[in-house]
Amino acid sequence: MKKEIKKVQKPKVAATTAKNSASSVTWLLGILLVCTFIAFMPSLKNELTNWDDPTYINDNPLIRELSAENIKTIFSKPYFANYQPLHILSYAIEYSMFGLSPKGYHLVSMLMHLIAVVLVFYFIKKLNIHDYVALAVAAAFALSPMRTESVCWASERKDLLYAIFFFAACISYINYLNAGSIARQYLLTCIFFLLAVMSKAMAVSFVPIMVLLDIYYTRKPDIKMILDKVFFVALSIVFGLISVQASASEGSIDTTNKYSFVDRIFFASHNLMMYAVKSIIPFMQSSFYPYPVKDEGGIAAYYYIAALFPVVLAFLFFYFYKKEKLISFSIGFFVATLALVLMLIPVGPTIFSERYTYISSVAVYLVLFYLLHKYLSKQLFVATTMLAAIVFAVLTYNRCAVWKDSITLWTDATQKYPTAGLALNNLGDACYKLGMIEEAEKHFTSSINANGEYAQAWFNRGNCRGQLNRIQDAYTDLNRSIALKKDYAEAYNKRGQALSIMGKPQEALKDYTKSLELKPNNPEVYYNLSLYWHGQQNTAEACRYLRMSLELHYTQAQKLFDDLCR
């Protein structure tokens, strides 16, 4: 026997007259998808960058083989401070198809974005909104240059995955609210939500969206409305705890006292405001937004002024609650989908990230185009929408070039924020990998000057100076990196190399041993240990470590192995 509920009342929304024919809307949506593909086409020529791509793709052992063991590990353990198994699985599938060819990863990201565009369009239609408004919202969402971080950055595949399932869950939940027979739609909503949170933990924001949809559709409160949410709340708690534990274990959650909780309230208010503003006017875009400098006078005044923004949003939410329920719904949607990433709980090195507008911006565009459609003539509305789409498309086309490679990405970021230590460090890393050692050293020095507490910059400069045969300078920098980060396995290994060159083999052995304690199975350390034992005239031990290094595919060990062990 099928479960039955009373159909909820469809919301009364202004400007819902004269729906376009299904065929014309389909054609317009198709044209939008083609335009979106063209706008993002430059990304197909882009490389993978050094911004998380090595960890998720280039050097990720879990994606090298679609084996039962790897898949089990993907679904049973967090990876890189996150539990997002579908995200990692998508790379494993792509690796089996494309290897490390960047074009394949970027093409899949583009196609996923197109799917998300279609789902956004139908989600807006489900809110009983005019087709023109739904198309305008979908166009702004599709073509905004604020999408480039999610689409052009291969490591942000999780945004695309979770958004697809998130909007699919929204659509199925609306169908559930409108349906007479509800079991199928409710089950679909559960499945889509599960897939969304397995793609990215931020999907737990779907729970408040369900409540907002209940309100929007004037669903009468009863016990069933509460029971409907039990599965979603329970799953959110489970995935939330897993995510917090994974982030804390990897040090992704900032536990320093540099900024007080009061400071972070102002940061969150400013972020909330800027996510809305930049969705409409995408100015000064950057892959990296550093935290502000805090001096004796505190943080900049505009952070304090921004504290008014959430107050204004709260006022507008209640003011329009009965007059224009769509506006209240949109405000709630916008805040709910950003609440976890406003940096009240600091996660990661950036204060603001453009990728977080991927879902939240839909609410901004919904209010904007709904009001434009309501108060402008049809011709003026169409002209305004087309102009905005063209401007967005051009900006996106140009912005894709910024993500071409690591050099272009971090050059752009450091031009916007010349004292951003992490961005300067990453630019140096990009130069180092291209063999531009002296140029890399300059960027690492700039990073250290910007943030003297950044252990990785000290390590990288020490590594550079070792390559330039300035061993004492390298040793000094590596000492500093270890002082700042006691568990820095790579720094112990490199310091061991410096000590070996300086004629201190026993001290080098201690560093190699410490490095392995912190990070077992590093093939370079095994190779360095083989060199140590070779220097001690112990060929058996040297060969043992050479074999261990070769088993981990460290090809540099092959020549010495051939000379000593065969």
Side-chain angles (χ1 to χ4, degrees), residues 497-528:
Q497 290 178 331
L499 286 165
S500 179
I501 295 171
M502 293 164 68
K504 300 178 179 179
Q506 297 306 315
E507 291 182 43
L509 177 61
K510 291 179 181 178
D511 272 1
Y512 295 146
T513 304
K514 181 66 174 178
S515 181
L516 279 182
E517 287 176 5
L518 294 168
K519 189 176 181 180
N521 296 325
N522 184 336
E524 186 180 13
V525 182
Y526 288 137
Y527 178 68
N528 288 335

Side-chain angles (χ1 to χ4, degrees), residues 73-194:
T73 302
I74 288 170
F75 279 87
S76 60
K77 295 181 180 179
Y79 180 78
F80 197 39
N82 288 289
Y83 180 70
Q84 42 203 22
L86 290 186
H87 175 215
I88 305 300
L89 181 62
S90 73
Y91 295 137
I93 294 170
E94 287 170 276
Y95 186 85
S96 69
M97 299 167 63
F98 312 121
L100 289 176
S101 171
K103 187 173 184 177
Y105 295 89
H106 292 312
L107 178 60
V108 171
S109 291
M110 283 180 62
L111 296 176
M112 286 185 173
H113 180 53
L114 296 180
I115 293 170
V117 172
V118 174
L119 290 170
V120 166
F121 170 73
Y122 283 106
F123 168 56
I124 302 303
K125 274 178 63 69
K126 285 288 181 181
L127 297 174
N128 201 30
I129 303 299
H130 195 286
D131 288 344
Y132 279 171
V133 176
L135 281 167
V137 172
F141 167 80
L143 297 169
S144 171
M146 294 291 281
R147 301 293 86 78
T148 52
E149 183 165 290
S150 296
V151 179
C152 298
W153 184 12
S155 291
E156 272 310 303
R157 167 68 48 72
K158 51 186 173 285
D159 278 346
L160 306 170
L161 273 174
Y162 110 87
I164 287 171
F165 297 126
F166 188 96
F167 286 119
C170 288
I171 292 169
S172 63
Y173 188 67
I174 293 173
N175 289 339
Y176 165 74
L177 293 177
N178 288 330
S181 176
I182 65 169
R184 179 173 175 272
Q185 293 299 332
Y186 183 78
L187 179 60
L188 278 175
T189 306
C190 293
I191 292 171
F192 287 138
F193 177 67
L194 175 61

Side-chain angles (χ1 to χ4, degrees), residues 139-346:
F141 167 80
L143 297 169
S144 171
M146 294 291 281
R147 301 293 86 78
T148 52
E149 183 165 290
S150 296
V151 179
C152 298
W153 184 12
S155 291
E156 272 310 303
R157 167 68 48 72
K158 51 186 173 285
D159 278 346
L160 306 170
L161 273 174
Y162 110 87
I164 287 171
F165 297 126
F166 188 96
F167 286 119
C170 288
I171 292 169
S172 63
Y173 188 67
I174 293 173
N175 289 339
Y176 165 74
L177 293 177
N178 288 330
S181 176
I182 65 169
R184 179 173 175 272
Q185 293 299 332
Y186 183 78
L187 179 60
L188 278 175
T189 306
C190 293
I191 292 171
F192 287 138
F193 177 67
L194 175 61
L195 294 172
V197 292
M198 292 179 77
S199 301
K200 189 171 184 177
M202 269 183 69
V204 299
S205 61
F206 179 69
V207 175
I209 302 305
M210 295 174 74
V211 176
L212 289 168
L213 285 169
D214 287 341
I215 296 170
Y216 184 70
Y217 279 87
T218 322
R219 186 179 182 187
K220 293 181 179 180
D222 57 21
I223 188 64
K224 186 170 189 343
M225 188 173 76
I226 296 173
L227 293 176
D228 282 347
K229 312 298 186 296
V230 170
F231 170 79
F232 300 90
V233 172
L235 203 61
S236 296
I237 292 172
V238 170
F239 276 85
L241 291 174
I242 292 173
S243 296
V244 170
Q245 184 178 12
S247 295
S249 65
E250 293 291 330
S252 295
I253 297 178
D254 183 5
T255 56
T256 67
N257 296 315
K258 185 175 182 180
Y259 300 102
S260 68
F261 185 73
V262 174
D263 290 334
R264 295 193 178 281
I265 291 174
F266 293 118
F267 293 159
S269 300
H270 183 263
N271 285 346
L272 192 66
M273 181 177 70
M274 294 311 297
Y275 283 126
V277 172
K278 285 203 170 192
S279 292
I280 301 172
I281 308 172
F283 65 98
M284 276 285 287
Q285 286 188 256
S286 176
S287 60
F288 185 82
Y289 292 81
Y291 274 84
V293 175
K294 184 178 181 181
D295 54 29
E296 292 181 0
I299 54 180
Y302 55 81
Y303 285 103
Y304 298 112
I305 297 171
L308 294 173
F309 186 71
V311 176
V312 171
L313 284 184
F315 171 78
L316 292 175
F317 178 87
F318 290 107
Y319 179 79
F320 287 109
Y321 185 78
K322 291 185 178 179
K323 294 182 178 182
E324 291 282 7
K325 191 173 285 188
L326 179 71
I327 295 177
S328 288
F329 170 79
S330 300
I331 292 171
F333 186 100
F334 176 71
V335 174
T337 52
L338 285 172
L340 295 175
V341 291
L342 291 175
M343 296 304 144
L344 280 171
I345 299 175

